[in-house]
Amino acid sequence: NGSVAYGLEWHVISLLRAGKTINDEILLEYYNSLVETVKGWTVETTPTNIERCALAISAMDKDITDVDGVNLAELIYNNTALETGSNKLVFALLALDAAGVEIPENALWSRNAIITELLKYQTSDGAFGLALDNLVSDVDMTAMCIQSLAPYTGFENVNDAVNDAVEYLKRT
């Protein structure tokens, strides 16, 4: 029907991050669709849905902590399913970092906890996998993990993990 609505987050993110201009009316239509979508979300909502919306909202230079009263950052750092896949952890870091969110001390997840959990997904060959119960080296997950961990390479364990992951990609 030509409308721009929830579900098109990667398109919005890609265009805006590439420096393309999206008509203000289209962005407003999209944002209003997100507002309606997130109204019923809780900390039990699938993390990747929350995270990709947070990334899109950040790309639009809007506040992820107040999407018509819904705090997407809180839904990320208090999400009860964040550790169920490396992609959820990766996008959590990317979304929170893109928005410059300070995580409160009483949150379920701190950045350090997210990073520590994410590092568990690294395989013996330096790659990262998607699921702990079937940890298989994956090029895409490895590249995503490197991207999310890059701001944290000042920590020795993170720096070593990123270096090992880069070496894996070079060999692949």
Side-chain angles (χ1 to χ4, degrees), residues 32-106:
N32 288 337
S33 171
L34 285 184
V35 166
E36 288 305 310
T37 301
V38 306
K39 282 183 179 177
W41 284 1
T42 69
V43 294
E44 295 178 354
T45 299
T46 302
T48 51
N49 289 345
I50 301 165
E51 295 156 350
R52 76 170 190 266
C53 289
L55 285 165
I57 289 167
S58 290
M60 296 169 62
D61 291 324
K62 294 195 177 290
D63 184 1
I64 71 167
T65 67
D66 185 10
V67 181
D68 199 32
V70 178
N71 185 339
L72 295 185
E74 183 178 357
L75 295 181
I76 294 169
Y77 58 67
N78 283 330
N79 198 285
T80 57
L82 211 56
E83 80 283 356
T84 62
S86 60
N87 61 332
K88 295 169 179 119
L89 297 159
V90 163
F91 288 128
L93 282 176
L94 292 173
L96 295 170
D97 289 350
V101 169
E102 290 286 331
I103 299 175
E105 285 188 32
N106 64 343

